Amino acid sequence: MTRHLEVRRGAYHDSVTLMQVSREVAERDDVDAVLVAMATELNLDLLADLGFSRPPDAAPNDLVVAVSVSDPAALDTALAAVDAALDRRRRPDPGGAEVEAPPRTVAAAARRADADLALVSTPGRVAILDAVDAVDAGLDVMIFSDNVPLSDEVALKDRAAERGVLVMGPDCGTAVLGGVGLGFANVTRPGPVGIVAASGTGAQHLMCLLDDVGIGIAHCLGVGGRDLSAAVGGRSALAALRRLDAAPEVELIVLVSKPASPEVAAALAARARELSTPVLMAVLGPGSPDLTAVAAEIAAHVGRPFPPTRRWGPDTPAARPGRLRGLFAGGTLCHEAMLVLADGLGEVASNIPLAGQPQVGPDDDATGHLLLDFGDDQLTAGRPHPMIDPRPRLARLRRELADPACAVVLLDVVLGHAAHPDPAAELAPFIAAASVPVVASVIGTRDDPQGRDRQAAALAAAGAIAHASNAAAAREAMALVGTRR
Amino acid sequence: MNAPERVIAAGAEVLAESLDRQQVDVDRVDWTPPPAGVEDALARVALDPRRRDANALALARMNAAGAVVVDARPAAAALGLERGHFLHAGPPITWERASGPLRGALVGAAMLEGLADDPAAAEHLFASGALSWEPCHHRGAVGPMAGVVSPSMWVFELLDPGSGRRAWCTLNEGLGTVLRYGAYSPDVIERLRWMGAVVGPTLRAAIRARGELDVRAIIAQMLQMGDEGHNRNRSGTLLVLAEWLPHLLRSGRSQDELADVVAFVAGNGHFFLNLCMPACKLAATAAGDIPGSSVVTTMARNGTDFGIQLSGTGDAWHTGPARVPDGLYLGGFGPADANPDIGDSAITETAGIGGFAMATAPAIVGFVGGTVRDAFATTRRMHDICVGENPAWALPAMDFRGTPTAIDATLVVRSGQLPQINTGIAGSVAGTGQVGAGLVNPPMECFTTAVEALAARAPARE
């Protein structure tokens, strides 16, 4: 085996691009392992896992190229493939004849041309810099990045209120503005519903369920997962509610949130009553309706029928003893599943546990029921979201399917813009080879690039049970866990 | 509410591509991480609620500052410079760390003042501490290259009529073997004596007779005539000479003296630099001392250190090692002969001209780096690190867009784009003089330490 490790100083590429490069080169037959990544602590650990020694003086702004090949002759072609893949992903050369060099900051970009909005997905430690640029330039901004310090979020939102602009995020995965999806967003038809979302996948799920019954979306304004916390106090949610209230195309506003500070939720509900547009509050929590029930409520409000949600795959198999293991890309979907399971299964451990439930680390072995959120901040620092890069979840799936104590695996499969182009194809081989039943919720629409029905059918063909409703998927998975007590 | 038609995207390419596929125009930011360790300081400064208005005010004050030349007189009177005390370019420096050209210029000035008979004696006086020196900037003055000012040297006095603030700069000696490049041979000292005896008094008569002459208006004109105000001042020189000429002719000086003075001014394409610099100094100073502002108010080099000052950090110098310029060399000189960057003349870039106005000076692009296209790219790049522009200094070739004005240190650090400075190159050995001219950038260190100092004065990030 030949190992090659080099550090390229100051050669920055974003983590998604590097993941694509690594994946492309790893697919070569003559390459055993490859990691092309910025030299963050996390990536240096991954390097060690691949059997490389840590380069002593690599800094987070340096690029590490690590390749191992069994045939030494293959090394040069593998490295050439790395360079070719990096080159291909670079933007068109700005040094060319009449092309102006691209701006290096949002401030510079905003000065050059009148944009409608800024979308910031730079690393969380510094995302605030370009977000402030946008606010100072009078632009609405969506901050996709997570791991932004809480006090920065509060300060930014206060400044945005002064400037009359909207801050969507940080940790805002989803927004839809007049049919244009930003971040992770499904292709939905236009319609009368406006959504304010302190939950990316929660909003996606709601929009997909509504799309399925022919109810369209005017806008979905994400506000970030922490907006309804006591510290942030719903600053962006209030601004977003007022925005939607002022939009004549919005006939019903839905505020969907992960579990929130009760005081903040109550205060927002009070402000919502002052608006001229009716507002439906959908704050997830024990005793609150799940997202599918919320969708049904919206359908009733706009006078549309809400038939039972779709299901694909084999008949429900017999329950078997053991434990349920849920592996999620969507935080709110994970949360919703835990709320569904809490009634039937008792103790469910998680890296984002419900109140009173055990907390586990994301890499810990499980003995009981377990639900993991792979999109949690802790797991996304310095690497792409699991909806883009399925590898961490696939590795865990392999581990759970091999665990004799595992009775059923519950998954979410989130489709739409910016998500993986074919998640079912990544999951299918594992599902087909498994003896443990797999239940998956498929969050998407017919018009999504991946095609919701095609993805569900592919999962079903591999032997999985697929649901259009995440709550329904959780309930069926729970039913497959035999003899509890 | 409408669907966005144009979105600025910074970060993950996959999110920008998703907008491409939805037929949304995407302005991609070519984002790179800031230098490690300065992230927290940048965030603190960015979130300082005073910063935006403070920088807007700094830009407005820079643009509103006036600059009229009101007098020429000896530095002893104008600056209160005592015998045995000297001014120099750049941030403060000890004799031990002073570069060859700075030492050479100080030695020459000591001989000019009659404090020493030969270079060795002069060096001893400086090394022993018998003579003292401080930056020009500490007295509101600026000096090109070594920037040495001694009491008997004549200086131009410029006034900002709005504020009453004044700035000073010596008379330009010409090119080649001159004191400001560190030369101190007898012909150098002889020329300085003649300038003090003849050029200074003659110009003073014309300046006083002409009355307040608006230097900023001449800069506006020269920028439309192919001068960038740092490495090319040819039209500015002729414009100012034309203003003074009638008054020179009526000054009562002898015809021979007048002919010598006019030939001296007209024959030195850099003569106007020493009026351009104090005009820029008045603009930069007007933008100073605004709490929370990240605007650069000084860039200056002493041949060893590059130092900058920020509006929001007052008189503090933020320094780093001066770099050796990249350029073209005179005669048999080459890069090995070059001293690191020196001079207060980067005050021109601080006020938005010089390298920042490269797009207007195609005649010197070969001299300072490359093609005309490079010149346009340079000015555009400088716009990206500035708070705004100066509409009074409009560049025809850029569709009359104003010069990039008020450098924001945080944008320099975040973008990695350093201010572009056009400069002369001094020989590294004392007494050599000019060896070339070219381009140089400040070290990034100046800007990172400046941002850290500004962050220390900003409200704490919880």
Side-chain angles (χ1 to χ4, degrees):
Chain A
M1 170 124 44
T2 302
R3 292 180 184 283
H4 172 87
L5 175 65
E6 65 179 294
V7 177
R8 299 183 185 178
R9 304 282 169 209
Y12 178 79
H13 298 267
D14 74 76
S15 59
V16 178
T17 294
L18 292 175
M19 184 209 75
Q20 290 168 332
V21 169
S22 297
R23 185 169 62 195
E24 182 180 325
V25 177
E27 280 166 4
R28 295 175 61 89
D29 292 336
D30 52 2
V31 170
D32 294 330
V34 60
L35 182 73
V36 183
M38 302 311 293
T40 59
E41 274 306 303
L42 179 101
N43 287 330
L44 292 175
D45 288 346
L46 290 176
L47 198 63
D49 293 346
L50 290 176
F52 287 89
S53 53
R54 289 169 74 105
D57 52 350
N61 294 347
D62 298 334
L63 180 71
V64 176
V65 177
V67 180
S68 77
V69 289
S70 29
D71 175 6
L75 183 61
D76 284 348
T77 50
L79 289 174
V82 169
D83 288 334
L86 283 171
D87 278 349
R88 215 169 314 121
R89 283 171 175 79
R90 200 162 283 149
R91 301 303 312 163
D93 175 21
E98 306 302 335
V99 183
E100 195 174 352
R104 300 274 187 97
T105 59
V106 167
R111 185 114 46 80
R112 288 191 193 184
D114 287 331
D116 302 310
L117 176 84
L119 170 54
V120 175
S121 56
T122 56
R125 260 189 99 184
V126 288
I128 195 75
L129 303 176
D130 286 285
V132 168
D133 284 352
V135 169
D136 281 356
L139 293 176
D140 291 342
V141 58
M142 169 165 166
I143 309 168
F144 185 85
S145 323
D146 53 16
N147 290 299
V148 172
L150 185 62
S151 60
D152 289 3
E153 176 175 348
V154 172
L156 180 71
K157 288 181 172 179
D158 281 343
R159 189 183 293 209
E162 284 170 28
R163 303 274 301 148
V165 298
L166 182 65
V167 174
M168 297 186 275
D171 194 15
C172 175
T174 299
V176 176
L177 300 170
V180 169
L182 296 153
F184 298 123
N186 304 91
V187 180
T188 56
R189 70 197 78 195
V193 177
I195 297 176
V196 175
S199 147
T201 48
Q204 281 188 274
H205 193 20
L206 200 54
M207 288 190 276
C208 293
L209 290 165
L210 294 174
D211 188 78
D212 238 8
V213 298
I215 301 171
I217 303 300
H219 313 286
C220 170
L221 305 178
V223 294
R226 292 187 305 217
D227 192 68
L228 268 61
S229 66
V232 186
R235 282 167 161 83
S236 282
L238 184 60
L241 284 170
R242 289 177 172 157
R243 271 294 170 90
L244 293 179
D245 188 41
E249 63 273 24
V250 176
E251 293 166 23
L252 172 68
I253 299 172
V254 183
L255 189 151
V256 59
S257 172
K258 297 179 192 188
S261 151
E263 292 76 21
V264 173
L268 282 172
R271 306 302 284 271
R273 282 192 290 275
E274 300 163 4
L275 303 180
S276 57
T277 315
V279 179
L280 191 70
M281 299 287 289
V283 178
L284 285 186
S288 300
D290 60 49
L291 292 164
T292 306
V294 170
E297 207 177 325
I298 295 167
H301 197 282
V302 300
R304 301 286 296 223
F306 195 81
T309 54
R310 285 193 66 181
R311 179 189 183 281
W312 296 261
D315 292 341
T316 307
R320 45 190 277 173
R323 305 298 190 177
L324 183 148
R325 302 285 156 72
L327 308 177
F328 282 80
T332 302
L333 300 174
C334 183
H335 223 107
E336 184 190 41
M338 287 194 288
L339 289 166
V340 168
L341 300 178
D343 288 340
L345 292 182
E347 191 172 279
V348 179
S350 176
N351 60 332
I352 54 158
L354 295 183
Q357 295 279 18
Q359 168 103 42
V360 294
D363 275 330
D364 293 352
D365 277 321
T367 51
H369 304 303
L370 170 76
L371 264 67
L372 288 177
D373 171 19
F374 283 82
D376 187 48
D377 278 20
Q378 250 194 329
L379 289 170
T380 54
R383 66 153 47 128
H385 194 277
M387 273 149 64
I388 298 173
D389 178 8
R391 289 175 300 173
R393 185 165 78 151
L394 288 174
R396 184 72 188 215
L397 176 61
R398 188 203 305 255
R399 211 161 112 189
E400 295 303 339
L401 291 174
D403 181 354
C406 177
V408 57
V409 169
L410 177 62
L411 302 171
D412 61 354
V413 178
V414 185
L415 310 178
H417 293 301
H420 191 283
D422 192 358
E426 300 276 337
L427 290 163
F430 293 90
I431 296 168
S435 56
V436 177
V438 174
V439 181
S441 59
V442 184
I443 311 305
T445 66
R446 277 163 303 182
D447 297 331
D448 276 339
Q450 303 90 344
R452 198 270 313 266
D453 294 357
R454 286 199 305 279
Q455 288 285 309
L459 291 168
I465 296 161
H467 278 273
S469 157
N470 187 57
R475 286 196 191 90
E476 179 155 8
M478 184 162 66
L480 296 183
V481 181
T483 58
R484 39 198 164 82
R485 251 186 305 272
Chain B
M1 282 177 74
N2 296 319
E5 291 174 6
R6 185 164 194 160
V7 172
I8 298 168
E13 175 59 21
V14 66
L15 300 182
E17 280 169 1
S18 153
L19 289 167
D20 290 337
R21 282 194 291 271
Q22 298 177 73
Q23 279 73 53
V24 175
D25 289 336
V26 182
D27 295 330
R28 285 174 166 79
V29 173
D30 182 18
W31 192 85
T32 52
V38 76
E39 298 94 339
D40 188 56
L42 282 169
R44 238 171 113 166
V45 171
L47 289 167
D48 184 340
R50 302 169 302 176
R51 185 189 58 106
R52 184 172 174 275
D53 291 344
N55 283 351
L57 182 62
L59 171 67
R61 286 187 178 166
M62 228 181 237
N63 285 345
V68 295
V69 56
V70 292
D71 207 357
R73 50 188 177 136
L79 287 155
L81 209 55
E82 322 81 52
R83 186 171 166 80
H85 194 61
F86 299 83
L87 303 182
H88 65 86
I93 185 137
T94 60
W95 183 256
E96 290 70 33
R97 293 186 67 245
S99 64
L102 178 51
R103 286 185 179 196
L106 285 167
V107 163
M111 293 195 293
L112 173 71
E113 298 298 325
L115 293 162
D117 291 333
D118 59 71
E123 283 203 33
H124 178 73
L125 289 173
F126 284 106
S128 68
L131 303 176
S132 56
W133 59 95
E134 68 177 317
C136 292
H137 277 289
H138 290 186
R139 298 278 187 110
V142 277
M145 301 310 288
V148 168
V149 184
S150 63
S152 73
M153 289 182 191
W154 281 59
V155 294
F156 289 121
E157 184 164 310
L158 274 71
L159 169 73
D160 171 10
S163 66
R165 204 175 279 119
R166 282 165 200 265
W168 298 268
C169 186
T170 49
L171 315 188
N172 195 290
E173 313 159 75
L175 284 171
T177 310
V178 286
L179 186 86
R180 71 177 187 281
Y181 280 92
Y184 50 71
S185 50
D187 54 319
V188 171
I189 306 300
E190 191 50 43
R191 186 190 304 114
L192 287 168
R193 292 225 160 91
W194 173 72
M195 287 172 67
V198 177
V199 181
T202 307
L203 291 181
R204 173 174 63 187
I207 288 167
R208 288 182 176 178
R210 164 62 177 77
E212 295 183 352
L213 175 62
D214 187 344
V215 175
R216 286 177 67 97
I218 294 180
I219 293 173
Q221 292 177 65
M222 74 190 272
L223 289 170
Q224 304 203 357
M225 298 169 75
D227 283 353
E228 41 68 278
H230 189 168
N231 267 17
R232 185 175 164 94
N233 288 278
R234 193 161 286 280
S235 61
T237 298
L238 297 177
L239 287 168
V240 77
L241 183 60
E243 290 285 347
W244 288 336
L245 202 48
H247 308 286
L248 285 169
L249 295 175
R250 288 196 198 101
S251 67
R253 313 283 299 196
S254 78
Q255 212 165 32
D256 280 348
E257 272 185 355
L258 283 177
D260 287 347
V261 170
V262 169
F264 176 73
V265 172
N268 172 13
H270 282 293
F271 186 83
F272 187 74
L273 174 65
N274 293 37
L275 287 160
C276 206
M277 285 174 55
C280 291
K281 171 66 177 169
L282 286 172
T285 306
D289 294 318
I290 303 172
S293 171
S294 52
V295 164
V296 176
T297 52
T298 308
M299 294 195 289
R301 318 84 98 195
N302 59 31
T304 306
D305 302 316
F306 197 116
I308 71 169
Q309 295 178 314
L310 291 194
S311 177
T313 61
D315 294 336
W317 287 98
H318 314 290
T319 62
R323 295 179 180 176
V324 175
D326 177 20
L328 299 176
Y329 288 86
L330 304 169
F333 292 115
D337 302 306
N339 194 75
D341 196 17
I342 187 166
D344 285 336
S345 53
I347 194 71
T348 58
E349 280 84 8
T350 310
I353 57 175
F356 283 43
M358 264 318 294
T360 209
I364 57 166
V365 293
F367 196 44
V368 297
T371 64
V372 172
R373 192 170 292 141
D374 292 335
F376 285 108
T378 298
T379 293
R380 287 209 182 91
R381 199 165 68 240
M382 296 303 100
H383 276 292
D384 283 351
I385 58 169
C386 285
V387 175
E389 44 198 75
N390 179 358
W393 289 348
L395 307 186
M398 301 286 281
D399 284 330
F400 294 91
R401 186 174 184 188
T403 43
T405 307
I407 303 163
D408 181 341
T410 66
L411 292 176
V412 173
V413 173
R414 286 171 54 198
S415 69
Q417 290 169 329
L418 291 161
Q420 187 61 62
I421 295 166
N422 295 345
T423 191
I425 306 174
S428 57
V429 176
T432 306
Q434 183 175 16
V435 297
L439 296 178
V440 74
N441 300 115
M444 182 56 86
E445 214 173 316
C446 296
F447 296 89
T448 53
T449 55
V451 167
E452 279 162 358
L454 187 63
R457 299 175 183 220
R461 202 179 172 204
E462 282 151 44

